[in-house]
Amino acid sequence: MTQKNRIKGGLIDRSKEIKFRFNDKWFRGHPGDTLASALLANGQLLMGRSFKYHRPRGVFTDGSEEPNALVHLRDGAYQEPNTRATMVELFEGLNATSQNHRGTLEYDLLAVNDFFSPFLSAGFYYKTFMWPKAFWEKLYEPVIRSAAGLGRLSMKDDPDTYDKGFLHCDLLVIGAGPSGLMAALTAARSGARVILADEDFRPGGRLNCETLELGGMSGTDWAAQTADELASMDNVRLMPRTTVYGAYDHGIYGALERCTDHLADGGDKPRQILWRIYSRRAVLAAGATERPIAFGNNDRPGIMLAGAVRSYANRYAATPGKHVAVFTNNDDGWRTAADLVAKGIEVPVVVDSRDTPAPIDLPGVRHVAGEAVMNTIGRKGVKSITLTNGKVIPVDALAVSGGWNPNVHLTCHQRGRPTWRDDLCAFVPGGDLPVGMAVAGAANGAMTLAAALAEGQAQATAQLDALGIKAKATDLPQAEDEPRGAAAFWHVKQSKHRAWVDLQNDVTVKDIKLANTEGFRSVELLKRYTTMGMATDQGKTSNIAGLAILAEERGKTIPEVGTTIFRPPYTPVPIGALAGRARGKDFRPYRLTPSHKWAEQNGASFVTVGNWLRAEWYTRPGEQGWRDSVDREALTARTSVGICDVTTLGKIDIQGKDAGAFLDKVYANTFSTLKVGRVRYGLMLREDGICYDDGTTARLDENHFVMTTTTANAVTVFRRLEFARQCLWPDMDVHLISTTDGWAQFAVAGPKSRDLLRKVIDAEHDLSNEAFPFMACGHVTVCGGKPARLFRISFSGEMAYEIAVPARFGNSMMAVLNEAGAEFDAAPYGTEALGVMRIEKGHCTGNELNGQTTAHNIRLGKMVSQKKECIGQVLAQRPEMVREDAVRLVGFRPVDRDKKLIAGSHFLNKQAPADMEHDQGWMTSAAYSPNLGHHIGLGFIKSGHERMGEIVRAVSPVHGTEMEVEIVSAHFVDPEGERLRG
Amino acid sequence: MIIDHPLLGPRDAAEFVYLGDAALIDRPDWQAADAMEQFHSYGYLRDNPAGQHQELWYHEQGDRSWLVVTRNTLTHEITAVELARDVARKRGRGK
Amino acid sequence: MADFTLIAEPPLKGVDHNFGDTRLYAPDDLAIVSIALPLGAEDATLQAVKSGFGADLPAPGQSVMGNDDTRLVRLGPDQAFAIFTRATPDAEPHVQSLLKGAAYTTDQTDVWTGLMLDGPLARTALERICPIDLHPDAFAEGAAARTVMEHLGVLIIRTGPDAFLLLSASSSAGSFLHAVETSLVNVT
């Protein structure tokens, strides 16, 4: 296809040609083109279909505010929906397809919706799909869902990568138009650290779209020269293709940089980077967005904003047609006529709603004053316009200008409310800006070039002043104050045909009137009822006209009806960019135990525990399933010796003259009396008296303790200890530091544990029961002088030790322990066997200490000392928490020993109905005990300790199970604790 | 948000963990005659001011200090940041 | 008893990659000992640090070099790290002997794993993961900060104009290395 609408000039590189595809047809463009400009140049005005009525639509704007020209870009898994053709830089081989049609773009089957439009007005589905009720799920919703939505996902994993980053600056300048460039230049020459971010690939903003002069050169040249100077400075980071999408607290801004979107092949580098910019100050120079006027059939391809038509002609050397009419309510619209004429495009008429003389003298251009366009003809492209005076004028395009709205969006991100300016007929930033932000240029209502430049400089100077940086004098380039007169004129009342306000959501003037009639009168309700201002463009071109029509209907002014404000993001941010690197296996960091490598080599399966990967069992040849391995491991530990990596338990090194007294305060039981070289079990309460955590704490020296916490609470216990140390008892000499990762710690459990350790621990250390009894601890050396810590503690209930070595030796230590244990048929065991053995011993874990249970419930009430101050002791004594008939922790076994117990089952007395009123408690943990040969469980049941031998029912409606269980002691194995003291 | 740590300078709030009202420093006397009542208030009752609020933040991904941050709950403006240990001492929790 | 030998296997041992002129490597035998200043006896501890290491403990957020290439990092009012090179697992008794009991010390060597990032890409790479402002005016040589990178706690110390020592938890060494390497790949 030839570039039949390509005209002379422009900022495109004609020496190079780019081939691209749209709807499987090949086109040609040039570097410097966007997809939209290249399609226009090729005469392809029809670019998509509308959301609801499937009306043919063409490109409407030249920027990120585009409501119509949304395309699927790229192929296969790379396909991205809702890409704005106006923001896509052309690259070789680009492949785009249009959206929102069934069948081809030209012949869309769903265009039938347009004929049903009388039934599809605002809120139609609230009214239409009410009954019969059963139809909603089966018919209405699936049909609506299949027809609705913008674009389609590829449903494949995104093959691109994304990154995040952090930037810091004195001054962030948002927008590289004239005021932004001037602000950045002022700050940069003054030595401040400056970031200048702009969503376009070419700095300059409207300077690249206009024929304005400044400083004796073209605006484009000045922009390029200024950008070059900024780019060459060490204290400046110039960020094109970067949208600042959100203003957050304390000068933090979110920005999305599109790194490889403009390349045919982005290689292996991140496609986009989500930046968090920490600015001390910011200047928002986001410019302004033009708005349309609503009139009959104002949505046809070829009808575009006047500023966009000018931009395509001047910057991209493309025109939507050869005969382009202009319809305006302001002086700026006339610039489009002037620039088109200068490019040799015929402008058959300028229709100005104002009954005033032409602000620009354009020989040969008909001026119709005080009239408006009320209708257009031409389904897939405008063919003629009908004026309010009845005249029909043949055209192939129409440029519409309804005035310009300052881009106040980021000023609202912290609930700032814009204020109305009558002279501009637009909202401008209000007084309550985000802290540290100033607004300059068109975004602030300084609509002329000279004013924008001056304000950019002034705001930058003021911001630097606030930072104590003296601005270096920089001459303002000479520029003019072009005419910007405008009138409030929002829609053409004489129009009998549907007049679109929001093109993206197919909201018409009639819909807004209907919403008002039906009582949806606040702007917030109007928005939600009609969907005006929603979706990808967030109503950038439509909102004000909608508000104006609502105000008119209600007989009020626009400031009286108010405006909806804006939230981040300013333009859409891909979910992939928000996720950054955090996907798949990199979703979060993982932690490995010191013996991980050995475990991998020895058949371990791993389970995720928080961020840790722990061995859950070690499969040996011939084992058919996990139970085989777990049963063997648990039996081995009870009959010989088992070895388990328990490094994940939190370890906190506690030192200080007041360390013992401090532990008395944070544990329910007493530690100041613990002897050096001994370990004690400790129970920690929350201040409300609920059990929080438990573990053992060893006293290595008079002023030196090592606390262990559960794996899950390692971080939060540390946090609470610091709270106690700093906020509650600030004058205690106590010091905390985590050593969790520093020591590889192994449980060596079973009757042969001492024999095994004798082979590893250096001979001078006496391991006899007398020298190193149950609950002893101390420093030892292993394998010929390597430092280690030994604790005689037991979670399994067997004679057991935990031995800790510096983590660097952990993998080797696991190998050594197993090698040394070979003669006893030692086996490593994982978390499952650990769990089985602790249930056999009635030890609590998170299942029991679940944030709802008290020391009284777990039958450790006596541990809560009332003789000394400790966290939780007072509220733990509340009557409800110590009532006699409270649930108590006991053991359970099935009456029919072949039955499997299910944790989560609730207990009911034998004849009681299965409802909450008769609930007696619940099963917290259940496992098969290979030592007993049947299932066992732990659980809470009312007054359980007094009900030994009673038979109750364990009911799980979730599993549909019910069985009889017997209440027994929670200590299934060695209830007297003889083994662990042996 | 950015919290201007009194020793380390401005740090992103992402490094911190929030706890709540700095009144949690004022833990009641466990031996007081009305200790149960006092602890009940301490544990469960909080002011919920729309405006200035003194609150506890923990610099978990930093120096592990607890801070008392004076923040306006309407605007997020932070007007003071102190080490909680100093505040606790000022409030008489020292020896 | 039988002859069993323990082999030291620090998680990132041997890591050494170049990305252009920028080098990422795990320093050998990095030893770390924490020093806690006893309440009320801080002056005596500071004196002991000075005589033990030949340098004053700096302000929080700073580090200085003392005797035998020991870097003293002040993390907070009552906590500091001594970072030095030592292969044997006796870093803590070594520091304790230098301080002669004037401070509480804890061996942190195996709690952490270290990566050195040295070269012109160092700052650009760290921009992708480090929220701290690393501009030399804001984070000069010797500056130190604990912060969070890719959900991992990291102690970052500027050891030269383009050189940073990064310390993070040894159990998550793999994720830590991946985070830094990915940053380097992304900016190379």
Side-chain angles (χ1 to χ4, degrees):
Chain A
M1 207 174 202
T2 57
Q3 298 178 38
K4 65 174 191 174
N5 283 350
R6 188 66 85 182
I7 55 179
K8 64 185 176 178
L11 305 174
I12 53 169
D13 178 3
R14 287 167 203 264
S15 70
K16 295 194 188 92
E17 210 169 51
I18 294 175
K19 291 192 289 297
F20 69 100
R21 269 188 303 163
F22 177 68
N23 286 347
D24 292 327
K25 215 152 81 182
W26 285 95
F27 297 88
R28 284 160 206 274
H30 301 287
D33 261 326
T34 62
L35 174 58
S37 72
L39 286 172
L40 270 189
N42 283 275
Q44 177 71 41
L45 267 61
L46 178 59
M47 295 190 197
R49 289 273 175 168
S50 77
F51 171 59
K52 195 156 124 186
Y53 301 124
H54 292 254
R55 304 257 300 182
R57 292 281 166 81
V59 67
F60 189 63
T61 73
D62 65 328
S64 62
E65 68 273 30
E66 176 61 30
N68 282 345
L70 305 182
V71 298
H72 290 136
L73 194 67
R74 301 184 191 257
D75 311 282
Y78 288 94
Q79 182 201 295
E80 187 174 47
N82 297 326
T83 307
R84 290 150 296 177
T86 51
M87 298 299 287
V88 176
E89 283 174 65
L90 211 59
F91 54 83
E92 185 63 36
L94 176 151
N95 184 20
T97 48
S98 52
Q99 301 185 166
N100 283 354
H101 48 86
R102 289 222 186 123
T104 66
L105 175 60
E106 278 72 21
Y107 302 101
D108 176 6
L109 300 174
L110 280 177
V112 69
N113 282 5
D114 202 21
F115 298 103
F116 292 131
S117 62
F119 308 104
L120 297 177
S121 60
F124 75 95
Y125 47 76
Y126 305 125
K127 301 166 186 165
T128 314
F129 301 110
M130 299 278 289
W131 40 257
K133 205 176 159 195
F135 275 34
W136 177 253
E137 230 170 78
K138 294 207 160 56
L139 179 67
Y140 298 150
E141 191 182 349
V143 168
I144 292 171
R145 280 200 188 281
S146 109
L150 290 170
R152 291 279 179 267
L153 293 169
S154 72
M155 303 311 283
K156 296 184 178 120
D157 283 352
D158 185 349
D160 283 312
T161 61
Y162 300 82
D163 211 350
K164 292 190 186 182
F166 306 87
L167 298 173
H168 301 258
C169 62
D170 293 321
L171 187 71
L172 167 67
V173 180
I174 303 161
S179 59
L181 284 169
M182 201 61 222
L185 191 64
T186 304
R189 286 183 179 168
S190 310
R193 289 169 66 190
V194 177
I195 293 174
L196 174 58
D198 191 276
E199 65 179 357
D200 204 333
F201 57 91
R202 184 181 181 112
R206 286 299 302 176
L207 287 175
N208 294 325
C209 309
E210 307 287 1
T211 50
L212 300 168
E213 289 214 344
L214 74 167
M217 62 180 99
S218 78
T220 307
D221 289 346
W222 183 83
Q225 185 185 305
T226 306
D228 284 348
E229 180 181 339
L230 290 169
S232 72
M233 297 169 84
D234 281 343
N235 57 327
V236 179
R237 187 171 186 131
L238 185 59
M239 302 179 74
R241 302 185 179 96
T242 302
T243 305
V244 176
Y245 63 80
Y248 301 93
D249 288 311
H250 305 160
I252 299 175
Y253 289 83
L256 180 74
E257 182 177 8
R258 294 171 293 277
C259 305
T260 66
D261 281 358
H262 61 293
L263 304 175
D265 178 2
D268 59 349
K269 295 294 180 248
R271 177 189 166 210
Q272 298 175 339
I273 302 171
L274 197 75
W275 293 104
R276 177 180 289 209
I277 301 176
Y278 300 92
S279 73
R280 295 172 73 200
R281 294 275 160 171
V283 170
L284 176 69
T289 301
E290 202 173 12
R291 61 204 183 201
I293 299 169
F295 53 87
N297 290 310
N298 61 335
D299 65 331
R300 301 196 188 286
I303 300 176
M304 299 165 63
L305 288 172
V309 171
R310 200 153 81 227
S311 167
Y312 285 114
N314 291 327
R315 175 174 173 178
Y316 299 106
T319 175
K322 304 288 190 227
H323 315 280
V324 185
V326 174
F327 174 30
T328 184
N329 65 5
N330 63 79
D331 295 347
D332 191 64
W334 284 84
R335 301 186 63 84
T336 301
D339 287 359
L340 289 176
V341 169
K343 293 272 181 184
I345 307 290
E346 192 218 355
V347 178
V349 63
V350 175
V351 182
D352 193 327
S353 65
R354 303 170 297 177
D355 200 0
T356 51
I360 304 174
D361 186 27
L362 288 177
V365 174
R366 181 147 57 120
H367 173 201
V368 178
E371 297 289 344
V373 177
M374 60 182 274
N375 193 19
T376 70
I377 306 283
R379 183 145 178 90
K380 285 171 195 160
V382 61
K383 291 198 172 73
S384 71
I385 58 175
T386 309
L387 307 190
T388 39
N389 61 13
K391 289 237 164 58
V392 175
I393 300 165
V395 298
D396 48 19
L398 173 65
V400 183
S401 180
W404 293 75
N405 292 326
N407 288 330
V408 301
H409 304 70
L410 267 71
T411 69
C412 300
H413 284 184
Q414 285 161 48
R415 299 203 62 76
R417 295 210 161 256
T419 52
W420 181 256
R421 245 176 75 179
D422 264 331
D423 61 327
L424 296 176
C425 302
F427 282 103
V428 294
D432 43 1
L433 299 175
V435 175
M437 180 194 279
V439 193
N444 202 32
M447 302 308 248
T448 69
L449 180 55
L453 290 166
E455 202 167 81
Q457 184 181 59
Q459 295 288 39
T461 305
Q463 292 287 50
L464 294 181
D465 192 50
L467 295 176
I469 302 170
K470 191 165 162 33
K472 252 195 186 154
T474 298
D475 286 339
L476 272 178
Q478 194 67 39
E480 58 174 315
D481 277 320
E482 62 277 25
R484 301 293 296 211
F489 183 82
W490 309 103
H491 70 117
V492 180
K493 297 192 180 77
Q494 297 93 324
S495 291
K496 292 181 189 68
H497 300 85
R498 278 177 297 166
W500 266 263
V501 177
D502 185 330
L503 293 168
Q504 187 161 83
N505 292 290
D506 270 345
V507 178
T508 64
V509 172
K510 202 176 121 198
D511 289 325
I512 293 166
K513 291 181 177 175
L514 181 70
N516 180 53
T517 310
E518 295 186 347
F520 298 94
R521 289 184 187 128
S522 103
V523 291
E524 299 290 346
L525 291 178
L526 172 76
K527 172 175 176 170
R528 280 150 190 88
Y529 193 59
T530 61
T531 70
M532 182 184 80
M534 295 190 177
T536 67
D537 71 343
Q538 287 288 295
K540 289 190 178 62
T541 57
S542 64
N543 277 348
I544 298 295
L547 297 178
I549 294 160
L550 180 69
E552 196 176 283
E553 286 294 298
R554 292 180 58 189
K556 295 192 168 175
T557 64
I558 293 174
E560 277 170 342
V561 300
T563 175
T564 56
I565 59 172
F566 305 94
R567 288 179 295 211
Y570 175 66
T571 51
V573 177
I575 295 291
L578 294 171
R581 301 180 191 172
R583 46 192 258 188
K585 66 177 173 45
D586 296 328
F587 180 66
R588 58 180 184 180
Y590 58 90
R591 302 174 78 180
L592 300 182
T593 63
S595 66
H596 188 85
K597 200 167 79 184
W598 187 91
E600 272 183 329
Q601 292 159 353
N602 286 274
S605 297
F606 295 96
V607 59
T608 317
V609 183
N611 287 350
W612 290 100
L613 293 180
R614 294 188 73 179
E616 48 184 349
W617 57 78
Y618 297 79
T619 306
R620 286 196 170 166
E623 289 175 341
Q624 299 302 313
W626 68 273
R627 265 282 304 281
D628 287 359
S629 311
V630 172
D631 290 356
R632 171 186 49 76
E633 289 171 14
L635 281 171
T636 304
R638 294 238 183 269
T639 54
S640 170
V641 57
I643 302 148
C644 183
D645 189 327
V646 293
T647 305
T648 62
L649 271 73
K651 306 178 201 74
I652 302 172
D653 204 56
I654 302 174
Q655 299 196 59
K657 286 190 288 296
D658 300 316
F662 177 75
L663 288 170
D664 283 349
K665 296 201 186 293
V666 297
Y667 272 131
N669 50 327
T670 306
F671 276 80
S672 52
T673 55
L674 183 67
K675 290 190 175 65
V676 172
R678 286 293 181 272
V679 187
R680 186 168 285 171
Y681 171 80
L683 179 67
M684 227 177 254
L685 303 182
R686 307 194 313 212
E687 194 67 273
D688 63 4
I690 298 285
C691 293
Y692 180 60
D693 199 66
D694 68 347
T696 58
T697 288
R699 190 167 205 165
L700 293 177
D701 209 334
E702 184 61 26
N703 296 332
H704 188 185
F705 293 79
V706 175
M707 174 188 282
T708 63
T709 73
T710 61
T711 301
N713 287 336
V715 169
T716 50
V717 165
F718 193 95
R719 186 187 301 161
R720 291 160 62 97
L721 296 188
E722 283 289 4
F723 177 77
R725 179 179 93 96
Q726 297 177 39
C727 300
L728 300 182
W729 297 287
D731 280 345
M732 279 191 157
D733 180 40
V734 187
H735 303 269
L736 310 171
I737 192 158
S738 169
T739 57
T740 304
D741 285 15
W743 295 91
Q745 193 149 322
F746 301 94
V748 181
K752 299 287 182 191
S753 56
R754 186 182 293 131
D755 296 339
L756 191 163
L757 285 173
R758 274 200 179 116
K759 297 175 67 182
V760 176
I761 293 173
D762 294 339
E764 63 266 33
H765 305 287
D766 185 354
L767 298 186
S768 68
N769 208 26
E770 295 69 39
F772 206 83
F774 180 55
M775 292 309 231
C777 69
H779 298 281
V780 294
T781 56
V782 294
C783 300
K786 295 290 189 296
R789 287 171 176 175
L790 186 66
F791 309 86
R792 178 117 182 243
I793 51 180
S794 176
F795 197 48
S796 58
E798 294 303 317
M799 176 170 78
Y801 299 80
E802 289 189 11
I803 186 156
V805 294
R808 75 189 86 165
F809 300 119
N811 199 55
S812 185
M813 185 69 176
M814 186 63 163
V816 163
L817 289 170
N818 279 280
E819 207 181 316
E823 65 172 287
F824 314 110
D825 294 323
Y829 64 96
T831 53
E832 282 298 322
L834 183 86
V836 167
M837 287 192 279
R838 73 96 192 166
I839 295 171
E840 288 176 338
K841 282 298 289 182
H843 287 154
C844 293
T845 63
N847 291 16
E848 287 75 33
L849 306 180
N850 68 349
Q852 299 174 303
T853 49
T854 64
H856 185 63
N857 295 139
I858 61 169
R859 299 175 67 194
L860 293 177
K862 289 208 182 80
M863 278 182 78
V864 184
S865 169
Q866 296 300 321
K867 293 192 205 121
K868 48 99 182 170
E869 179 180 23
C870 78
I871 289 173
Q873 81 193 131
V874 173
L875 294 182
Q877 300 309 312
R878 284 178 288 177
E880 277 297 311
M881 295 175 76
V882 291
R883 49 190 287 170
E884 262 312 298
D885 63 347
V887 295
R888 303 300 187 95
L889 185 70
V890 287
F892 296 88
R893 63 182 177 198
V895 171
D896 174 353
R897 296 284 195 271
D898 292 335
K899 289 247 162 119
K900 183 185 171 186
L901 298 180
I902 295 172
S905 300
H906 276 248
F907 299 122
L908 293 157
N909 289 340
K910 267 179 132 177
Q911 306 300 331
D915 56 26
M916 284 313 291
E917 199 185 327
H918 296 87
D919 186 37
Q920 291 286 304
W922 69 99
M923 185 108 65
T924 54
S925 304
Y928 175 78
S929 166
N931 292 288
L932 300 174
H934 60 79
H935 279 85
I936 57 170
L938 297 177
F940 291 106
I941 190 165
K942 285 181 183 172
S943 304
H945 60 305
E946 291 166 354
R947 297 168 69 176
M948 291 299 153
E950 189 181 326
I951 309 288
V952 294
R953 289 144 62 214
V955 180
S956 174
V958 177
H959 299 90
T961 56
E962 170 164 349
M963 72 190 73
E964 290 192 330
V965 295
E966 182 188 348
I967 301 175
V968 295
S969 160
H971 310 294
F972 291 94
V973 169
D974 187 29
E976 303 307 318
E978 283 161 8
R979 294 188 191 177
L980 43 79
R981 292 185 173 80
Chain B
M1 292 208 302
I2 291 173
I3 294 173
D4 195 359
H5 191 295
L7 301 173
L8 306 173
R11 294 297 191 91
D12 194 304
E15 293 179 358
F16 294 81
V17 170
Y18 181 77
L19 179 64
D21 197 328
L24 285 167
I25 290 173
D26 306 314
R27 190 171 182 274
D29 176 3
W30 66 292
Q31 290 175 308
D34 59 345
M36 184 69 84
E37 206 169 300
Q38 286 195 43
F39 267 95
H40 181 269
S41 302
Y42 173 74
Y44 294 104
L45 302 181
R46 302 275 189 285
D47 290 335
N48 184 20
Q52 290 262 307
H53 188 226
Q54 285 205 314
E55 53 200 21
L56 285 159
W57 290 75
Y58 176 55
H59 199 194
E60 185 146 86
Q61 298 292 1
D63 72 341
R64 312 294 172 106
S65 58
W66 279 92
L67 303 178
V68 174
V69 175
T70 307
R71 182 179 65 101
N72 187 313
T73 57
L74 296 175
T75 62
H76 292 183
E77 186 192 8
I78 291 173
T79 46
V81 184
E82 301 160 273
L83 292 175
R85 191 170 213 162
D86 295 343
V87 174
R89 283 179 178 139
K90 265 192 277 178
R91 293 188 186 177
R93 294 208 62 87
K95 265 182 187 156
Chain C
M1 62 171 273
D3 297 319
F4 295 111
T5 311
L6 288 184
I7 304 156
E9 297 168 81
L12 298 181
K13 190 178 174 66
V15 167
D16 194 344
H17 305 306
N18 284 295
F19 297 82
D21 294 335
T22 302
R23 182 177 170 214
L24 175 71
Y25 65 98
D28 286 332
D29 303 326
L30 202 62
I32 306 165
V33 175
S34 71
I35 299 168
L37 283 60
L39 190 74
E42 289 86 352
D43 290 347
T45 312
L46 293 174
Q47 195 51 50
V49 168
K50 191 171 171 63
S51 46
F53 292 103
D56 281 317
L57 208 54
Q62 297 297 325
S63 71
V64 293
M65 294 307 290
N67 297 339
D68 299 328
D69 276 340
T70 300
R71 184 175 290 274
L72 297 170
V73 189
R74 185 76 170 270
L75 299 166
D78 60 357
Q79 194 179 65
F81 275 2
I83 304 176
F84 49 102
T85 304
R86 193 174 187 89
T88 49
D90 57 352
E92 189 267 335
H94 168 70
V95 170
Q96 191 51 252
S97 72
L98 289 174
L99 296 179
K100 302 187 168 59
Y104 305 114
T105 51
T106 305
D107 202 317
Q108 289 280 297
T109 304
D110 293 62
V111 174
W112 303 83
T113 189
L115 283 172
M116 270 299 297
L117 186 52
D118 191 352
L121 287 175
R123 230 182 98 192
T124 319
L126 287 169
E127 237 167 35
R128 299 293 173 92
I129 46 176
C130 176
I132 303 281
D133 185 1
L134 300 180
H135 190 282
D137 293 349
F139 199 79
E141 258 185 79
R146 285 180 83 165
T147 184
V148 61
M149 302 184 193
E150 293 289 286
H151 308 280
L152 297 165
V154 176
L155 170 59
I156 176 170
I157 305 164
R158 186 178 217 133
T159 59
D162 286 326
F164 298 87
L165 173 62
L166 308 173
L167 298 172
S168 191
S170 62
S171 63
S172 43
S175 296
F176 174 51
L177 177 65
H178 179 70
V180 180
E181 275 184 341
T182 306
S183 302
L184 281 158
V185 168
N186 286 354
V187 301
T188 304

